[in-house]
Amino acid sequence: MRLVIARCSVDYAGRLTAHLPSAPRLILVKADGSVSIHADDRAYKPLNWMSPPCTLKEGTGDEEGVWTVVNKAGEKLIITMEEILHDSSHELGVDPGLIKDGVEAHLQELLADRIETLGEGYTLIRREYMTAIGPVDILCRDAEGQTVAVEIKRRGEIDGVEQLTRYLDLLNRDPHLAPVRGIFAAQEIKPQARVLATDRGIGCQTLDYDALRGIEDDKLRLF
């Protein structure tokens, strides 16, 4: 990971346009090729970013100090450096991934055993499918044979959708798996997360923990 603290301005040109005026900011360049620009607030969320696959070109000559990041869709993130205050690189290695709590781990196990919950004709490829940026909870195929990556949360929020998006970007580079689509599965999915998932073409599935465990509804029945 490369960490750069610099006074810079940032311009984004794509489906929309955006401009960040000159200010001191943190720029992260990760091993997966992603580039994100951060301010000293708002926790984990960057001011702007470019997800992989993308390429970073550092300008020379008349363009010295101008970084241009381009993704496969041709969208550009242009970072104009005015003063670099810090520039360092660090080898973090492969992250072991987030250790899920008991409920999430059990949901993963139950859903893998009852993969047809996602739809008729689904088949399991494997649980904890390892990638360079961590394990995908479940990798499976739908009735048409398309690869599906499933991210499981107890409570589905925006960061879970972002996590699945990163997995999908990586998995779709593998010609043996592509095209790969995603399903965001949770006991509860927040409205904002559902909107973001839908915008990115990711399906949402609400999981009933008790139903997966085979516990019958305790309502009175006549028969």
Side-chain angles (χ1 to χ4, degrees):
M1 179 183 290
R2 184 178 177 186
L3 308 176
V4 178
I5 299 175
R7 178 173 291 279
C8 62
S9 60
V10 183
D11 292 279
Y12 172 82
R15 289 171 292 179
L16 302 172
T17 58
H19 174 72
L20 293 172
S22 176
R25 297 187 176 95
L26 168 65
I27 303 165
L28 299 183
V29 183
K30 295 188 178 181
D32 64 0
S34 64
V35 179
S36 56
I37 297 98
H38 298 259
D40 199 10
D41 64 0
R42 69 187 67 199
Y44 64 89
K45 188 173 181 180
L47 296 166
N48 216 325
W49 69 94
M50 192 70 82
S51 299
C54 58
T55 57
L56 167 62
K57 179 181 178 182
E58 297 185 39
T60 58
D62 292 340
E63 295 294 319
E64 186 175 0
V66 178
W67 291 14
T68 304
V69 188
V70 184
N71 67 11
K72 60 182 180 181
E75 298 170 316
K76 293 183 180 181
L77 194 64
I78 301 170
I79 307 168
T80 303
M81 304 289 190
E82 298 172 13
E83 180 184 9
I84 294 179
L85 307 172
H86 174 85
D87 189 347
S88 64
S89 297
H90 307 270
E91 181 61 53
L92 302 185
V94 177
D95 191 88
L98 181 68
I99 298 175
K100 294 181 174 291
D101 67 22
V103 174
E104 287 185 5
H106 198 204
L107 278 170
Q108 183 193 114
E109 180 182 354
L110 291 169
L111 187 57
D113 287 341
R114 297 164 176 79
I115 198 67
E116 67 280 358
T117 301
L118 298 176
E120 186 177 351
Y122 274 70
T123 56
L124 179 70
I125 296 176
R126 67 167 298 165
R127 291 171 53 196
E128 298 287 329
Y129 184 88
M130 185 55 66
T131 74
I133 57 174
V136 177
D137 288 336
I138 290 178
L139 199 68
C140 57
R141 296 192 190 279
D142 63 17
E144 286 72 42
Q146 183 177 0
T147 310
V148 182
V150 185
E151 178 64 26
I152 299 171
K153 299 292 184 187
R154 181 175 60 179
R155 186 175 180 178
E157 301 191 46
I158 284 177
D159 58 348
V161 178
E162 295 284 8
Q163 183 180 359
L164 179 53
T165 299
R166 292 192 293 271
Y167 288 143
L168 290 171
D169 284 340
L170 194 62
L171 292 169
N172 272 300
R173 299 184 213 173
D174 186 338
H176 300 292
L177 297 175
V180 185
R181 63 182 179 89
I183 293 179
F184 188 50
Q187 287 181 278
E188 174 192 4
I189 300 177
K190 293 295 184 180
Q192 299 93 330
R194 191 178 292 275
V195 169
L196 181 61
T198 301
D199 181 66
R200 295 184 177 181
I202 295 171
C204 292
Q205 179 91 22
T206 303
L207 300 176
D208 186 325
Y209 188 39
D210 289 340
L212 284 172
R213 289 190 296 164
I215 297 176
E216 291 291 335
D217 194 327
D218 61 1
K219 293 180 181 177
L220 293 176
R221 301 176 185 271
L222 293 175
F223 303 99

